[in-house]
Amino acid sequence: MGRRKSRYDRLFMRDAEAFVRDALRLRDTVLSAQLHLKANGPLFWQLGGLVDKLHELLATVAEKEPDFRMAGLGLLPLPEDYSTRK
């Protein structure tokens, strides 16, 4: 029987960049939806929690903290040595 291919501890660069792009689009959608909700409503706060978790996950995947002053939170493009880091 053949051996099962090993799994990796990190995403491939193309997968990580696709994830970051999609997560940034989801973040924009959630933030625009929050504009139309009452600030004291439960859905507003749940969506805010989702955005906070997205920021944490984006920092983990991109291996750097989001910079809220830059477009795309300064996460893209990923560094050239992304998939070779350990």
Coordinates of all heavy atoms in Angstrom, one line a residue:
M1 N 0.8 -1.2 0.0 CA 0.0 0.0 0.0 C 0.9 1.2 0.0 O 1.9 1.3 0.6 CB -0.9 0.0 1.3 CG -2.1 -0.8 1.2 SD -3.1 -0.2 2.5 CE -4.5 -1.1 2.1
G2 N 0.4 2.3 -0.7 CA 1.2 3.5 -0.7 C 1.0 4.3 0.6 O 0.0 4.1 1.4
R3 N 1.9 5.1 0.9 CA 1.9 5.9 2.1 C 1.0 7.2 1.8 O 1.0 7.7 0.7 CB 3.3 6.4 2.5 CG 4.1 5.3 2.9 CD 5.5 5.7 3.4 NE 5.2 6.6 4.5 CZ 6.2 7.5 5.0 NH1 7.3 7.6 4.4 NH2 5.9 8.3 6.0
R4 N 0.3 7.6 2.8 CA -0.5 8.8 2.7 C 0.4 10.0 2.7 O 1.4 10.0 3.4 CB -1.4 8.9 3.9 CG -2.4 10.0 3.8 CD -3.3 10.1 4.9 NE -2.9 11.2 5.7 CZ -3.4 11.5 6.9 NH1 -4.3 10.7 7.5 NH2 -2.9 12.5 7.6
K5 N 0.1 10.9 1.8 CA 1.0 12.1 1.8 C 0.9 12.9 3.1 O -0.2 12.9 3.7 CB 0.5 13.0 0.6 CG 0.8 12.4 -0.7 CD 0.4 13.3 -1.8 CE 0.6 12.7 -3.2 NZ 0.3 13.5 -4.3
S6 N 2.0 13.4 3.5 CA 2.0 14.2 4.8 C 1.2 15.5 4.6 O 1.1 16.0 3.5 CB 3.4 14.5 5.2 OG 4.1 15.3 4.3
R7 N 0.8 16.0 5.7 CA 0.0 17.2 5.8 C 1.0 18.3 6.2 O 2.0 18.1 6.9 CB -1.1 17.1 6.7 CG -2.1 16.1 6.3 CD -3.3 16.1 7.2 NE -4.2 15.0 6.9 CZ -5.3 15.2 6.2 NH1 -5.7 16.3 5.8 NH2 -6.1 14.1 5.9
Y8 N 0.7 19.6 5.9 CA 1.5 20.7 6.2 C 1.0 21.5 7.3 O -0.2 21.4 7.6 CB 1.6 21.6 4.9 CG 2.3 20.9 3.7 CD1 1.5 20.4 2.7 CD2 3.6 20.8 3.6 CE1 2.0 19.7 1.6 CE2 4.2 20.1 2.6 CZ 3.4 19.6 1.6 OH 3.9 19.0 0.5
D9 N 1.9 22.2 8.0 CA 1.4 23.0 9.1 C 1.0 24.4 8.7 O 0.6 25.2 9.5 CB 2.6 23.1 10.2 CG 2.7 21.9 10.9 OD1 1.8 21.1 11.0 OD2 3.8 21.7 11.5
R10 N 1.2 24.8 7.5 CA 0.9 26.1 7.0 C 0.2 26.0 5.6 O 0.3 25.0 5.0 CB 2.1 27.0 7.0 CG 3.1 26.7 6.0 CD 4.3 27.6 6.0 NE 4.9 27.9 7.2 CZ 4.7 28.9 8.0 NH1 3.8 29.9 7.7 NH2 5.3 29.1 9.2
L11 N -0.4 27.1 5.3 CA -1.1 27.1 4.0 C -0.1 27.4 2.9 O 0.9 28.1 3.1 CB -2.2 28.3 4.0 CG -3.3 28.1 4.9 CD1 -4.1 29.4 4.9 CD2 -4.2 26.9 4.5
F12 N -0.4 26.9 1.7 CA 0.4 27.4 0.5 C 0.1 28.8 0.3 O -0.9 29.4 0.6 CB 0.0 26.5 -0.7 CG 0.4 25.1 -0.6 CD1 -0.5 24.1 -0.6 CD2 1.8 24.8 -0.6 CE1 -0.1 22.8 -0.6 CE2 2.2 23.5 -0.5 CZ 1.2 22.4 -0.5
M13 N 1.1 29.5 -0.3 CA 1.0 31.0 -0.5 C -0.3 31.3 -1.3 O -1.0 32.2 -0.9 CB 2.2 31.5 -1.2 CG 2.2 33.0 -1.4 SD 3.7 33.6 -2.1 CE 4.1 34.8 -0.9
R14 N -0.6 30.6 -2.3 CA -1.8 30.9 -3.1 C -3.1 30.8 -2.3 O -4.1 31.5 -2.4 CB -1.9 30.1 -4.4 CG -2.2 28.7 -4.2 CD -2.2 27.9 -5.6 NE -2.7 26.6 -5.5 CZ -2.1 25.6 -4.9 NH1 -0.9 25.7 -4.4 NH2 -2.7 24.4 -4.9
D15 N -3.1 29.7 -1.4 CA -4.3 29.5 -0.6 C -4.4 30.6 0.5 O -5.5 31.1 0.8 CB -4.2 28.1 0.1 CG -4.3 27.0 -0.9 OD1 -4.9 27.2 -2.0 OD2 -3.7 25.9 -0.7
A16 N -3.3 31.0 1.0 CA -3.3 32.0 2.1 C -3.7 33.4 1.5 O -4.5 34.1 2.1 CB -1.9 32.2 2.7
E17 N -3.2 33.7 0.3 CA -3.6 35.0 -0.3 C -5.1 34.9 -0.7 O -5.8 35.9 -0.5 CB -2.8 35.2 -1.6 CG -1.4 35.7 -1.2 CD -0.5 36.0 -2.4 OE1 -0.9 35.6 -3.5 OE2 0.5 36.7 -2.2
A18 N -5.6 33.8 -1.2 CA -7.0 33.7 -1.5 C -7.9 33.9 -0.3 O -8.9 34.5 -0.3 CB -7.3 32.4 -2.2
F19 N -7.4 33.2 0.8 CA -8.2 33.3 2.1 C -8.2 34.8 2.6 O -9.3 35.3 3.0 CB -7.5 32.5 3.2 CG -8.1 32.6 4.5 CD1 -9.3 31.9 4.8 CD2 -7.7 33.5 5.4 CE1 -9.9 32.1 6.1 CE2 -8.3 33.7 6.7 CZ -9.4 33.0 7.0
V20 N -7.1 35.5 2.5 CA -7.0 36.9 3.0 C -7.9 37.7 2.1 O -8.7 38.6 2.6 CB -5.6 37.4 3.0 CG1 -5.5 38.9 3.2 CG2 -4.7 36.7 4.1
R21 N -7.9 37.6 0.8 CA -8.7 38.4 -0.1 C -10.2 38.1 0.2 O -11.0 39.1 0.3 CB -8.5 38.0 -1.5 CG -7.3 38.7 -2.2 CD -7.3 38.6 -3.7 NE -7.3 37.2 -4.1 CZ -6.3 36.4 -4.2 NH1 -5.1 36.9 -4.0 NH2 -6.4 35.2 -4.6
D22 N -10.6 36.9 0.4 CA -12.0 36.6 0.7 C -12.4 37.1 2.1 O -13.5 37.6 2.3 CB -12.2 35.1 0.6 CG -12.1 34.5 -0.8 OD1 -12.1 35.3 -1.8 OD2 -12.0 33.3 -1.0
A23 N -11.5 37.0 3.0 CA -11.8 37.4 4.4 C -12.0 38.9 4.4 O -12.8 39.5 5.1 CB -10.8 37.0 5.4
L24 N -11.2 39.6 3.6 CA -11.3 41.1 3.6 C -12.6 41.5 2.9 O -13.3 42.5 3.4 CB -10.1 41.7 2.8 CG -8.8 41.7 3.5 CD1 -7.7 42.1 2.6 CD2 -8.8 42.5 4.8
R25 N -13.1 40.8 1.9 CA -14.4 41.0 1.3 C -15.5 40.8 2.3 O -16.5 41.5 2.4 CB -14.6 40.2 0.0 CG -13.9 40.8 -1.1 CD -14.4 40.3 -2.5 NE -14.9 39.0 -2.5 CZ -14.3 38.0 -3.1 NH1 -13.1 38.2 -3.7 NH2 -14.8 36.7 -3.1
L26 N -15.4 39.7 3.1 CA -16.4 39.4 4.1 C -16.4 40.5 5.1 O -17.5 40.9 5.6 CB -16.1 38.0 4.7 CG -17.0 37.6 5.9 CD1 -18.5 37.6 5.4 CD2 -16.6 36.3 6.5
R27 N -15.3 40.9 5.5 CA -15.2 42.0 6.5 C -15.9 43.3 6.0 O -16.6 43.9 6.7 CB -13.7 42.3 6.8 CG -13.5 43.5 7.7 CD -11.9 43.8 7.8 NE -11.7 44.9 8.7 CZ -11.6 46.2 8.3 NH1 -11.8 46.4 7.0 NH2 -11.4 47.1 9.1
D28 N -15.6 43.6 4.8 CA -16.3 44.8 4.2 C -17.8 44.6 4.2 O -18.6 45.6 4.5 CB -15.8 45.1 2.8 CG -14.4 45.5 2.7 OD1 -13.9 46.0 3.8 OD2 -13.7 45.4 1.6
T29 N -18.3 43.4 3.8 CA -19.7 43.2 3.8 C -20.3 43.3 5.2 O -21.4 43.9 5.4 CB -20.0 41.8 3.2 OG1 -19.4 41.7 1.9 CG2 -21.4 41.4 3.2
V30 N -19.7 42.7 6.2 CA -20.2 42.8 7.6 C -20.2 44.2 8.1 O -21.2 44.7 8.7 CB -19.3 41.9 8.5 CG1 -19.7 42.1 9.9 CG2 -19.5 40.4 8.1
L31 N -19.1 45.0 7.8 CA -19.1 46.4 8.3 C -20.2 47.2 7.6 O -20.8 48.1 8.2 CB -17.7 47.0 8.0 CG -16.6 46.4 8.9 CD1 -15.2 47.0 8.5 CD2 -16.9 46.6 10.4
S32 N -20.4 47.0 6.3 CA -21.5 47.8 5.6 C -22.8 47.4 6.2 O -23.7 48.2 6.2 CB -21.4 47.6 4.1 OG -21.7 46.3 3.7
A33 N -23.0 46.1 6.5 CA -24.3 45.7 7.1 C -24.5 46.3 8.5 O -25.7 46.6 8.8 CB -24.4 44.2 7.2
Q34 N -23.5 46.5 9.2 CA -23.6 47.0 10.6 C -24.1 48.5 10.5 O -24.7 49.0 11.5 CB -22.2 47.0 11.3 CG -22.0 45.7 12.1 CD -20.7 45.8 12.9 OE1 -19.7 46.2 12.4 NE2 -20.8 45.5 14.1
L35 N -23.8 49.2 9.4 CA -24.2 50.6 9.3 C -25.7 50.7 9.4 O -26.2 51.8 9.8 CB -23.7 51.2 8.0 CG -22.2 51.4 7.8 CD1 -21.9 51.8 6.4 CD2 -21.7 52.4 8.8
H36 N -26.5 49.7 9.0 CA -27.9 49.8 9.0 C -28.6 49.2 10.2 O -29.8 49.1 10.2 CB -28.4 49.1 7.7 CG -27.8 49.7 6.5 ND1 -28.0 51.0 6.0 CD2 -26.9 49.2 5.6 CE1 -27.3 51.2 5.0 NE2 -26.6 50.1 4.7
L37 N -27.8 48.8 11.2 CA -28.4 48.2 12.4 C -28.2 49.2 13.6 O -27.3 50.0 13.6 CB -27.6 46.9 12.8 CG -27.7 45.8 11.7 CD1 -26.8 44.7 12.1 CD2 -29.2 45.3 11.7
K38 N -29.1 49.0 14.6 CA -29.0 49.8 15.8 C -27.8 49.4 16.6 O -27.5 48.2 16.7 CB -30.3 49.6 16.7 CG -31.5 50.2 16.1 CD -32.7 49.9 17.0 CE -34.0 50.5 16.4 NZ -35.1 50.2 17.3
A39 N -27.1 50.3 17.1 CA -25.8 50.0 17.8 C -26.0 49.2 19.1 O -25.1 48.6 19.6 CB -25.0 51.3 18.1
N40 N -27.2 49.3 19.7 CA -27.5 48.6 20.9 C -28.2 47.2 20.7 O -28.6 46.6 21.6 CB -28.3 49.4 21.9 CG -29.6 49.8 21.3 OD1 -29.9 49.6 20.2 ND2 -30.4 50.4 22.1
G41 N -28.3 46.8 19.4 CA -29.0 45.5 19.1 C -28.0 44.3 19.2 O -26.8 44.5 19.0
P42 N -28.5 43.2 19.5 CA -27.7 42.0 19.6 C -27.0 41.6 18.3 O -25.8 41.1 18.3 CB -28.6 40.9 20.1 CG -30.0 41.3 19.7 CD -29.9 42.8 19.7
L43 N -27.7 41.8 17.2 CA -27.0 41.4 15.9 C -25.8 42.3 15.6 O -24.8 41.8 15.1 CB -28.1 41.5 14.8 CG -27.6 41.0 13.4 CD1 -27.1 39.6 13.5 CD2 -28.7 41.1 12.4
F44 N -25.9 43.6 15.9 CA -24.8 44.5 15.7 C -23.6 44.0 16.5 O -22.5 44.0 15.9 CB -25.2 45.9 16.2 CG -24.1 46.9 16.1 CD1 -24.1 47.6 14.9 CD2 -23.2 47.1 17.1 CE1 -23.1 48.6 14.7 CE2 -22.2 48.1 16.9 CZ -22.1 48.8 15.7
W45 N -23.8 43.6 17.7 CA -22.7 43.1 18.5 C -22.1 41.8 18.1 O -20.9 41.5 18.2 CB -23.1 43.1 20.0 CG -23.2 44.5 20.5 CD1 -24.4 45.2 20.7 CD2 -22.2 45.5 20.7 NE1 -24.1 46.5 21.0 CE2 -22.8 46.7 21.1 CE3 -20.8 45.4 20.6 CZ2 -22.0 47.8 21.4 CZ3 -20.0 46.5 21.0 CH2 -20.7 47.7 21.3
Q46 N -23.0 40.9 17.6 CA -22.5 39.6 17.1 C -21.7 39.8 15.8 O -20.6 39.2 15.6 CB -23.7 38.7 16.8 CG -24.4 38.1 18.0 CD -25.6 37.3 17.6 OE1 -26.2 37.4 16.6 NE2 -25.9 36.4 18.5
L47 N -22.1 40.7 15.0 CA -21.3 41.0 13.8 C -20.0 41.7 14.1 O -19.0 41.4 13.5 CB -22.1 41.9 12.8 CG -23.3 41.3 12.1 CD1 -24.1 42.3 11.3 CD2 -22.9 40.1 11.3
G48 N -20.0 42.5 15.2 CA -18.8 43.1 15.6 C -17.8 42.1 16.2 O -16.6 42.1 15.9
G49 N -18.3 41.1 16.8 CA -17.5 39.9 17.3 C -16.9 39.2 16.2 O -15.8 38.7 16.2
L50 N -17.7 39.0 15.1 CA -17.2 38.3 13.9 C -16.1 39.1 13.3 O -15.1 38.5 12.9 CB -18.4 38.1 12.9 CG -18.0 37.6 11.5 CD1 -17.4 36.2 11.7 CD2 -19.1 37.6 10.6
V51 N -16.2 40.4 13.2 CA -15.1 41.2 12.6 C -13.8 41.1 13.5 O -12.7 40.9 13.0 CB -15.5 42.7 12.5 CG1 -14.3 43.6 12.1 CG2 -16.6 42.8 11.5
D52 N -14.0 41.1 14.8 CA -12.8 40.9 15.7 C -12.1 39.6 15.5 O -10.9 39.5 15.4 CB -13.2 41.0 17.2 CG -13.7 42.4 17.5 OD1 -13.3 43.4 16.8 OD2 -14.4 42.6 18.5
K53 N -12.9 38.5 15.3 CA -12.4 37.2 15.1 C -11.7 37.1 13.7 O -10.7 36.5 13.5 CB -13.5 36.1 15.2 CG -14.0 35.9 16.6 CD -12.9 35.3 17.4 CE -13.4 35.0 18.8 NZ -12.3 34.6 19.7
L54 N -12.3 37.8 12.7 CA -11.7 37.8 11.4 C -10.3 38.5 11.5 O -9.3 38.1 10.8 CB -12.5 38.6 10.4 CG -13.6 37.8 9.6 CD1 -14.5 38.7 8.8 CD2 -12.9 36.8 8.7
H55 N -10.2 39.6 12.3 CA -8.9 40.3 12.4 C -7.9 39.3 13.0 O -6.7 39.3 12.6 CB -9.1 41.5 13.3 CG -9.8 42.6 12.6 ND1 -10.5 43.6 13.3 CD2 -10.1 42.8 11.3 CE1 -11.1 44.4 12.5 NE2 -10.9 44.0 11.2
E56 N -8.3 38.6 14.1 CA -7.4 37.6 14.7 C -6.9 36.6 13.7 O -5.7 36.2 13.6 CB -8.0 36.9 15.9 CG -8.3 37.8 17.1 CD -9.0 37.0 18.1 OE1 -8.9 35.8 18.2 OE2 -9.8 37.7 18.9
L57 N -7.8 36.0 12.9 CA -7.5 35.0 12.0 C -6.7 35.5 10.8 O -5.7 34.9 10.4 CB -8.8 34.4 11.4 CG -8.7 33.1 10.6 CD1 -7.9 32.0 11.4 CD2 -10.1 32.6 10.3
L58 N -6.9 36.7 10.4 CA -6.1 37.3 9.3 C -4.7 37.5 9.8 O -3.7 37.3 9.1 CB -6.7 38.7 8.9 CG -7.9 38.6 8.0 CD1 -8.6 39.9 7.9 CD2 -7.5 38.1 6.6
A59 N -4.5 37.9 11.1 CA -3.2 38.1 11.6 C -2.4 36.8 11.7 O -1.2 36.7 11.4 CB -3.3 38.7 13.0
T60 N -3.1 35.7 12.0 CA -2.5 34.4 12.1 C -2.1 33.9 10.7 O -1.0 33.4 10.5 CB -3.5 33.4 12.7 OG1 -3.8 33.9 14.0 CG2 -2.8 32.0 12.8
V61 N -3.0 34.0 9.7 CA -2.7 33.5 8.4 C -1.6 34.3 7.7 O -0.7 33.8 7.1 CB -4.0 33.5 7.5 CG1 -3.7 33.2 6.1 CG2 -5.0 32.5 8.1
A62 N -1.7 35.7 7.8 CA -0.7 36.5 7.1 C 0.6 36.6 7.9 O 1.5 37.2 7.4 CB -1.3 37.9 6.9
E63 N 0.6 36.2 9.1 CA 1.7 36.2 10.0 C 2.2 37.6 10.3 O 3.4 37.9 10.4 CB 2.9 35.4 9.5 CG 2.5 33.9 9.4 CD 3.6 33.1 8.8 OE1 4.6 33.6 8.2 OE2 3.6 31.8 9.0
K64 N 1.3 38.6 10.3 CA 1.6 40.0 10.7 C 0.3 40.6 11.1 O -0.8 40.2 10.7 CB 2.3 40.7 9.6 CG 1.5 40.9 8.3 CD 2.3 41.6 7.2 CE 1.6 41.6 5.9 NZ 2.4 42.3 4.9
E65 N 0.4 41.6 11.9 CA -0.8 42.3 12.4 C -1.4 43.2 11.4 O -0.7 43.8 10.6 CB -0.4 43.1 13.7 CG -0.1 42.3 14.9 CD -1.3 41.5 15.4 OE1 -2.4 42.0 15.4 OE2 -1.1 40.3 15.7
P66 N -2.7 43.3 11.3 CA -3.4 44.2 10.4 C -3.0 45.6 10.7 O -3.0 46.0 11.9 CB -4.9 43.9 10.6 CG -5.0 42.6 11.3 CD -3.7 42.5 12.1
D67 N -2.8 46.4 9.7 CA -2.5 47.8 9.8 C -3.8 48.5 9.3 O -4.1 48.6 8.1 CB -1.3 48.3 9.0 CG -1.0 49.7 9.2 OD1 -1.7 50.4 9.9 OD2 0.1 50.1 8.7
F68 N -4.6 49.1 10.2 CA -5.9 49.6 9.9 C -5.8 50.9 9.1 O -6.8 51.5 8.7 CB -6.7 49.8 11.2 CG -7.0 48.4 11.8 CD1 -6.3 48.0 12.9 CD2 -8.0 47.6 11.3 CE1 -6.5 46.8 13.5 CE2 -8.2 46.4 11.9 CZ -7.5 46.0 13.0
R69 N -4.6 51.5 9.0 CA -4.5 52.7 8.2 C -4.2 52.5 6.7 O -4.3 53.4 5.9 CB -3.3 53.5 8.8 CG -3.5 53.9 10.2 CD -2.2 54.5 10.8 NE -1.3 53.3 10.8 CZ 0.0 53.5 11.1 NH1 0.5 54.6 11.3 NH2 0.8 52.4 11.1
M70 N -4.0 51.2 6.4 CA -3.6 50.9 5.0 C -4.8 50.2 4.3 O -5.6 49.5 4.9 CB -2.4 50.0 4.9 CG -1.1 50.7 5.5 SD 0.3 49.6 5.4 CE 0.5 49.5 3.6
A71 N -4.8 50.2 3.0 CA -5.8 49.5 2.2 C -5.5 48.0 2.3 O -4.4 47.6 2.4 CB -5.7 49.9 0.7
G72 N -6.6 47.3 2.4 CA -6.5 45.8 2.6 C -5.8 45.5 3.9 O -5.3 44.4 4.1
L73 N -5.9 46.4 4.9 CA -5.3 46.2 6.2 C -3.8 45.9 6.1 O -3.1 45.5 7.1 CB -5.9 45.1 7.0 CG -7.4 45.3 7.2 CD1 -8.0 44.1 8.0 CD2 -7.7 46.6 7.9
G74 N -3.2 46.2 5.0 CA -1.7 46.0 4.8 C -1.3 44.6 4.8 O -0.1 44.3 5.0
L75 N -2.2 43.7 4.5 CA -1.9 42.3 4.6 C -1.4 41.7 3.3 O -0.8 40.6 3.3 CB -3.1 41.5 5.1 CG -3.5 41.9 6.5 CD1 -4.8 41.1 6.9 CD2 -2.5 41.5 7.6
L76 N -1.8 42.3 2.2 CA -1.4 41.8 0.9 C -0.5 42.7 0.2 O -0.6 43.9 0.4 CB -2.7 41.5 0.0 CG -3.6 40.4 0.4 CD1 -4.8 40.4 -0.4 CD2 -2.9 39.1 0.4
P77 N 0.4 42.3 -0.5 CA 0.8 40.9 -0.8 C 1.5 40.3 0.4 O 2.2 41.0 1.1 CB 1.7 41.0 -2.1 CG 2.3 42.3 -1.9 CD 1.3 43.2 -1.3
L78 N 1.4 39.0 0.5 CA 2.2 38.2 1.5 C 3.7 38.3 1.1 O 4.0 38.4 0.0 CB 1.7 36.8 1.6 CG 0.3 36.6 2.0 CD1 -0.1 35.1 2.0 CD2 0.0 37.1 3.4
P79 N 4.5 38.1 2.1 CA 6.0 38.2 1.8 C 6.4 37.0 0.9 O 5.7 36.0 0.9 CB 6.6 38.0 3.2 CG 5.5 38.1 4.2 CD 4.2 38.0 3.5
E80 N 7.4 37.2 0.1 CA 7.9 36.2 -0.8 C 8.2 34.9 -0.1 O 8.1 33.8 -0.7 CB 9.1 36.7 -1.6 CG 8.7 37.8 -2.6 CD 7.7 37.4 -3.6 OE1 7.9 36.2 -4.1 OE2 6.8 38.2 -4.0
D81 N 8.8 35.0 1.1 CA 9.2 33.7 1.8 C 8.1 33.1 2.6 O 8.4 32.4 3.5 CB 10.5 34.0 2.6 CG 10.2 35.0 3.7 OD1 9.2 35.7 3.7 OD2 11.0 35.1 4.6
Y82 N 6.9 33.5 2.4 CA 5.7 33.0 3.2 C 5.7 31.5 3.4 O 5.7 31.0 4.5 CB 4.4 33.5 2.6 CG 3.2 32.9 3.4 CD1 2.8 33.6 4.6 CD2 2.5 31.8 3.0 CE1 1.8 33.1 5.3 CE2 1.5 31.3 3.8 CZ 1.1 32.0 4.9 OH 0.1 31.5 5.7
S83 N 5.8 30.7 2.3 CA 5.6 29.3 2.5 C 6.9 28.6 2.9 O 6.8 27.4 3.2 CB 5.1 28.7 1.2 OG 5.4 29.4 0.0
T84 N 8.0 29.3 3.0 CA 9.2 28.6 3.4 C 9.5 28.9 4.9 O 10.5 28.4 5.4 CB 10.4 29.1 2.6 OG1 10.6 30.5 2.6 CG2 10.2 28.6 1.1
R85 N 8.8 29.8 5.5 CA 9.0 30.1 6.9 C 8.7 28.9 7.8 O 7.8 28.1 7.5 CB 8.1 31.3 7.4 CG 8.6 32.6 6.8 CD 7.8 33.7 7.5 NE 7.9 34.9 6.7 CZ 7.2 36.0 7.0 NH1 6.3 36.0 7.9 NH2 7.4 37.1 6.3
K86 N 9.3 28.9 8.9 CA 9.0 27.8 9.9 C 8.6 28.4 11.2 O 8.8 29.4 11.6 CB 10.2 26.9 10.1 CG 10.5 26.2 8.8 CD 11.5 25.1 9.0 CE 11.7 24.4 7.7 NZ 12.5 23.3 7.6

